[in-house]
């Protein structure tokens, strides 16, 4: 009752008293005394219910107190009293956006622009509303209008860049944000999206830099930590990537993709059990994610668990039937399980849908070679240069590649492109090639030079990086069987040696003493190698534990000699 009495007393006062009360409310409002300001605005709307400004200010303070429904009601009342005020329409649209009423917000922004077509705030607001509603062309048009009117409008420039990021126009995004970083470096999110754009463009070092820069001002940023972890994973800095992914989990363990990424890191480090745990955690959190099932299958395949891998790939394909990577992986699992026809059918199905799938063609090459179909197998094998997972260097020469035929007046450079074992095996094809050229030169790693000199003149063997002769053609060593039209029945030197042990260089004094010691050793000496490159894709089938050999030490008269290269395991046990 006291409040009503007060209102009646104020209503009898003149306009000057109402203005004074309004000033008091505005002072409270500006000083952050929002609740007392609201009380005064409410009194004023009772005193002067036709005063649109009072309703407008009441709506503003309601919104600041996070009462969106009351704010909307007050602003609609203000607009009903004065529909010709663009600011009223604009603020109503802003509140509607906060309430996720995007279509209504668009209408309110449009009404503001009918009142004042040049009202920059509403042009920008309408652009953001169109962006939120997925009307990207309309959004881009209105962002451009803002920038045309005010080229320094950092909000419009930044939001335009985000829109272009969603359209995967990453190079343009980087251009906009790099300029914005110079003119307005404090705009939140610039460095984050520079990181994201560089990550999308596979410019991983730049991505890492910008994610770290963003985290200086926002240390707990989930997208920055996730992006940083992914960039570190791509640069094969698996330990650091794991550290950042685990920080995310420590903040909140509800992100299955983080567990998937950790599993990929552990799998790459060949720490299979840890990878296994995190894949299962990711699948448990999101069981209908086809990528997780596919990735888990690749781990099982590496662990030689073919049947379980097949089940996992079927799970992935049940969720996403045209998942080509999973189809190829399933074919690979079939191939490992010696179900070769099933495997080839899958590879062919993928290549029918996507003829440019290097991943499928490489696996089909392995299958065809395994079946002895050399002509088609080696033809498919030419795709290896496009297989990023093989990490082969693409060589560029100024002369053409040889693709078959006799060239008795020409010279050719053959170059090694893969590991030592493969290079040694394929060197058998050099002899038949000599019948087609005046001279054959070979470029190889320094470690293989001496052994290759046992089958070629020394002056025709060149160490990689130490200069080359003039030549007319080139050909990678692994392409020779294709262009020589090799079949299973005519593999060169298949029944006789084609390499010979090179003459050893003079021994050092220390080596001579060691040799003398070994020669007088009564034990039976056994040299052992138990591990290859741990990061090689197929290492699990090439390496074993030293423990398997240590049992031989128990045999009387046997002494083990380690000839393991760069070993990190227990050589001292020998």
């Amino acid at each position: 009752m006291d409040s009503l009495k007060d209102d009646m007393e104020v209503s009898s006062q003149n306009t000057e008293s109402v203005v004074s009360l309004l000033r008091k409310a505005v002072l409270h409002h500006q000083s952050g005394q929002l609740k007392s300001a609201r009380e005064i605005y409410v009194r004023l709307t009772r005193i002067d219910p036709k005063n649109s400004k009072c309703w407008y200010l009441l709506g503003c303070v309601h919104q600041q107190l996070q009462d969106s429904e009351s704010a909307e009601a007050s602003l609609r009342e203000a607009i009903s009293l004065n529909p010709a005020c663009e600011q009223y329409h604009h603020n109503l649209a802003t509140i509607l956006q906060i309430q996720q009423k995007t279509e209504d917000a668009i209408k309110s922004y449009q009404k503001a622009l009918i009142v004042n077509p040049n009202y920059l705030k509403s042009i920008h607001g309408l652009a953001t509303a169109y962006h939120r509603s997925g009307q990207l062309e309309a959004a881009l048009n209105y962002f451009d209008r803002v920038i045309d009117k005010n080229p320094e409008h950092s909000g419009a420039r930044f939001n335009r860049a985000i829109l272009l990021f969603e359209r995967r126009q990453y190079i343009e995004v980087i251009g906009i944000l790099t300029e914005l970083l110079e003119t307005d470096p404090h705009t939140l999110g610039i460095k984050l999206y520079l990181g994201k754009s560089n990550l999308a463009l596979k410019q991983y070092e730049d991505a890492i830099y910008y994610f770290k820069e963003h985290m200086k001002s926002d240390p707990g940023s989930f997208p920055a930590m996730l992006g940083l972890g992914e960039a570190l994973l791509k640069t094969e800095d698996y330990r650091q990537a794991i550290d950042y992914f685990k920080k995310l989990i420590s903040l909140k363990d509800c992100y299955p993709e983080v567990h998937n990424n950790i599993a990929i890191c552990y799998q790459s480090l060949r720490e299979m059990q840890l990878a296994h745990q995190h894949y299962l955690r990711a699948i448990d959190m999101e069981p209908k994610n086809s990528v997780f099932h596919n990735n888990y299958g690749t781990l099982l395949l590496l662990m030689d668990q073919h049947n379980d891998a097949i089940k996992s790939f079927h799970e992935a394909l049940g969720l996403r039937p045209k998942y080509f990577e999973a189809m190829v992986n399933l074919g690979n699992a079939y191939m490992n399980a010696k179900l070769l026809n099933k495997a080839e059918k899958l590879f062919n199905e993928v290549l029918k849908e996507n003829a440019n799938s290097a991943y499928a063609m490489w696996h089909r090459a392995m299958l065809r070679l395994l079946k002895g179909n050399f002509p088609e197998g080696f033809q498919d094998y030419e795709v290896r240069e496009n297989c990023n997972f093989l990490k082969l260097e693409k060589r560029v020469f100024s002369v053409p590649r040889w693709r078959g035929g006799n060239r008795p007046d020409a010279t050719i450079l053959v170059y090694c492109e893969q590991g030592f074992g493969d290079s040694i095996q394929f060197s058998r094809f050099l002899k038949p090639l000599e019948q087609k050229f005046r001279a054959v030169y070979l470029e190889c790693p320094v470690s293989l030079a001496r052994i290759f000199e046992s089958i070629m003149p020394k002056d025709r063997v060149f160490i990689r990086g130490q200069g080359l002769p003039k030549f007319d053609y080139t050909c990678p060593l692994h392409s020779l069987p294709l262009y020589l039209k090799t079949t299973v029945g005519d593999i060169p030197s298949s029944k006789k040696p084609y390499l010979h042990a090179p003459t050893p260089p003079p021994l050092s004094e220390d080596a001579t003493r060691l040799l003398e010691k070994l020669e007088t050793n009564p034990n039976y000496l056994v040299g052992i190698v138990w591990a290859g490159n741990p990061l090689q894709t197929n290492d699990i089938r090439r390496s074993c534990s030293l423990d398997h050999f240590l049992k031989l030490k128990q045999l009387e008269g046997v002494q083990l000699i380690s000839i393991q290269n760069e070993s990190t395991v227990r050589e001292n046990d020998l």
Side-chain angles (χ1 to χ4, degrees):
M1 295 297 292
D2 289 343
S3 176
L4 179 60
K5 181 180 179 182
D6 289 342
D7 288 347
M8 291 177 66
E9 290 174 357
V10 175
S11 67
S12 65
Q13 296 173 2
N14 56 30
T15 305
E16 186 176 348
S17 299
V18 174
V19 171
S20 175
L21 194 58
L22 181 58
R23 285 176 182 165
K24 181 180 177 182
V26 170
L27 284 173
H28 282 243
H29 194 164
Q30 291 174 340
S31 66
Q33 301 176 62
L34 301 181
K35 291 184 178 179
S36 60
R38 179 176 60 184
E39 290 176 5
I40 300 172
Y41 287 141
V42 169
R43 290 178 65 192
L44 283 167
T45 58
R46 292 175 181 170
I47 296 166
D48 188 2
K50 300 296 184 183
N51 189 323
S52 64
K53 187 173 183 180
C54 292
W55 285 105
Y56 168 72
L57 292 171
L58 177 59
C60 292
V61 80
H62 274 313
Q63 183 54 39
Q64 287 177 273
L65 289 167
Q66 299 183 349
D67 183 356
S68 296
E69 289 186 8
S70 298
E72 180 185 346
S74 296
L75 284 167
R76 289 194 183 281
E77 185 64 30
I79 290 168
S80 71
L81 295 168
N82 181 11
C85 181
E86 66 270 25
Q87 193 173 4
Y88 294 178
H89 292 288
H90 175 83
N91 279 31
L92 175 60
T94 303
I95 288 165
L96 292 168
Q97 282 235 72
I98 292 169
Q99 294 177 296
Q100 307 294 319
K101 299 177 181 178
T102 307
E103 293 303 321
D104 290 340
I106 289 171
K107 293 175 183 177
S108 288
Y109 283 129
Q110 289 171 335
K111 288 177 182 177
L113 292 173
I114 290 171
V115 175
N116 182 358
N118 296 314
Y119 191 44
L120 208 58
K121 286 184 178 181
S122 286
I123 298 174
H124 185 239
L126 184 55
T128 61
Y130 276 135
H131 188 181
R132 179 177 288 181
S133 69
Q135 300 178 64
L136 300 188
E137 287 299 329
L140 192 60
N141 176 49
Y142 276 91
F143 283 134
D144 287 341
R145 282 180 60 181
V146 175
I147 295 167
D148 286 343
K149 292 179 180 295
N150 179 9
E152 303 303 317
H153 196 296
S154 58
R157 291 164 67 195
F158 178 74
N159 287 330
R160 184 178 187 274
I162 304 308
L163 188 153
L164 294 175
F165 177 85
E166 293 171 8
R167 293 173 63 165
R168 301 183 181 181
Q169 296 173 236
Y170 304 120
I171 294 174
E172 193 170 349
V173 172
I174 290 172
I176 295 169
L177 295 182
T178 302
E179 288 182 5
L180 192 55
L181 193 60
E182 294 179 1
T183 58
D184 193 359
H186 301 296
T187 298
L188 187 65
I190 292 178
K191 294 171 184 175
L192 174 63
Y193 276 90
L194 278 169
K196 285 185 170 187
S197 299
N198 278 291
L199 179 61
L201 290 171
K202 301 181 180 179
Q203 296 170 179
Y204 300 122
E205 295 300 330
D206 288 339
I208 289 168
Y209 170 78
Y210 283 115
F211 284 134
K212 286 183 175 179
E213 285 294 303
H214 177 81
M215 288 171 64
K216 287 178 181 178
S217 56
D218 187 6
S221 170
F222 171 79
M225 269 192 275
L226 179 61
L228 179 55
E230 290 175 349
L232 290 166
L233 189 160
K234 293 295 185 181
T235 58
E236 300 183 4
D237 190 347
Y238 301 119
R239 296 293 179 196
Q240 266 211 75
I242 289 169
D243 287 344
Y244 279 103
F245 290 139
K246 286 191 172 181
K247 283 180 185 176
L248 288 173
I249 291 174
S250 69
L251 294 172
K252 196 172 184 181
D253 188 8
C254 62
Y255 305 111
E257 67 271 25
V258 177
H259 284 283
N260 178 66
N261 287 339
I262 293 173
I264 292 171
C265 291
Y266 279 130
Q267 182 172 332
S268 300
L269 292 167
R270 299 299 184 261
E271 297 180 22
M272 304 305 195
Q273 292 306 317
L274 289 170
H276 194 273
Q277 292 171 19
H278 284 279
Y279 278 136
L280 289 182
R281 176 66 176 144
I283 290 169
D284 183 58
M285 295 172 75
E286 194 175 335
K288 293 189 177 181
N289 188 307
S290 59
V291 173
F292 298 168
H293 287 284
N294 175 64
N295 290 350
Y296 180 47
T298 64
L299 175 71
L300 294 169
L301 195 54
L302 277 175
M303 297 172 72
D304 274 336
Q305 298 177 20
H306 305 134
N307 292 334
D308 289 338
I310 288 169
K311 289 178 184 177
S312 194
F313 295 134
H314 275 299
E315 286 280 354
L317 291 167
L319 295 164
R320 184 174 153 196
K322 289 293 182 180
Y323 188 1
F324 293 145
E325 184 180 335
M327 290 172 72
V328 175
N329 288 336
L330 177 58
N332 191 24
Y334 281 144
M335 188 163 59
N336 279 272
K338 300 193 170 46
L339 301 170
L340 302 188
N341 291 334
K342 279 190 171 185
E344 189 162 19
K345 182 180 179 182
L346 275 169
F347 298 148
N348 288 336
E349 187 178 340
V350 172
L351 288 165
K352 183 179 179 181
E353 297 279 347
N354 182 7
N356 296 320
S357 173
Y359 191 56
M361 190 168 290
W362 186 83
H363 280 86
R364 190 175 70 177
M366 296 298 101
L367 174 70
R368 285 176 165 176
L369 293 173
L370 182 64
K371 294 174 74 173
N373 181 354
F374 280 15
E376 291 184 320
F378 280 118
Q379 184 63 62
D380 281 352
Y381 192 54
E382 289 296 285
V383 80
R384 64 190 180 277
E385 290 185 354
N386 298 320
C387 295
N388 294 331
F389 58 90
L390 294 178
K391 300 178 183 177
L392 299 181
E393 179 185 359
K394 290 187 178 181
R395 304 290 296 276
V396 178
F397 297 94
S398 59
V399 299
R401 176 178 288 193
W402 177 68
R403 299 183 188 277
N406 294 326
R407 303 288 188 274
D409 298 323
T411 59
I412 184 171
L413 173 75
V414 177
Y415 55 92
C416 298
E417 60 177 352
Q418 298 191 38
F420 290 180
D422 284 352
S423 295
I424 290 170
Q425 288 285 351
F426 278 72
S427 67
R428 69 177 71 231
F429 295 99
L430 292 168
K431 206 69 176 173
L433 188 66
E434 290 176 349
Q435 301 170 17
K436 299 181 179 292
F437 285 87
R438 176 168 57 84
V440 175
Y441 303 112
L442 175 67
E443 182 199 62
C444 66
V446 63
S447 301
L448 294 180
R450 287 178 56 244
I451 195 168
F452 286 147
E453 287 169 3
S454 73
I455 59 170
M456 296 181 69
K458 186 174 181 178
D459 62 355
R460 294 189 180 181
V461 177
F462 294 85
I463 294 171
R464 176 76 187 273
Q466 295 186 14
L468 290 171
K470 291 183 179 180
F471 47 88
D472 302 306
Y473 292 91
T474 64
C475 188
L477 181 60
H478 286 63
S479 291
L480 292 183
L482 171 65
Y483 299 127
L484 289 169
K485 299 181 179 179
T486 306
T487 65
V488 173
D490 58 11
I491 299 172
S493 305
S494 59
K495 295 183 179 179
K496 58 183 179 180
Y498 61 96
L499 286 176
H500 307 281
T503 302
L507 296 176
S508 67
E509 291 183 9
D510 288 343
T512 301
R513 283 195 296 271
L514 178 60
L515 185 60
E516 291 172 352
K517 183 179 178 181
L518 292 174
E519 285 175 347
T520 59
N521 192 311
N523 293 320
Y524 188 68
L525 304 178
V526 180
I528 60 170
V529 175
W530 58 91
N533 179 359
L535 297 182
Q536 205 274 349
T537 307
N538 203 33
D539 182 61
I540 195 167
R541 298 186 181 92
R542 295 155 33 107
S543 302
C544 65
S545 169
L546 174 58
D547 292 337
H548 295 303
F549 290 97
L550 295 182
K551 296 174 183 178
L552 295 174
K553 290 178 65 177
Q554 300 170 14
L555 299 176
E556 185 177 351
V558 171
Q559 182 173 345
L560 302 182
I561 303 295
S562 168
I563 52 176
Q564 174 70 42
N565 183 38
E566 298 179 355
S567 173
T568 57
V569 287
R570 299 176 350 226
E571 291 176 344
N572 292 335
D573 287 354
L574 304 181

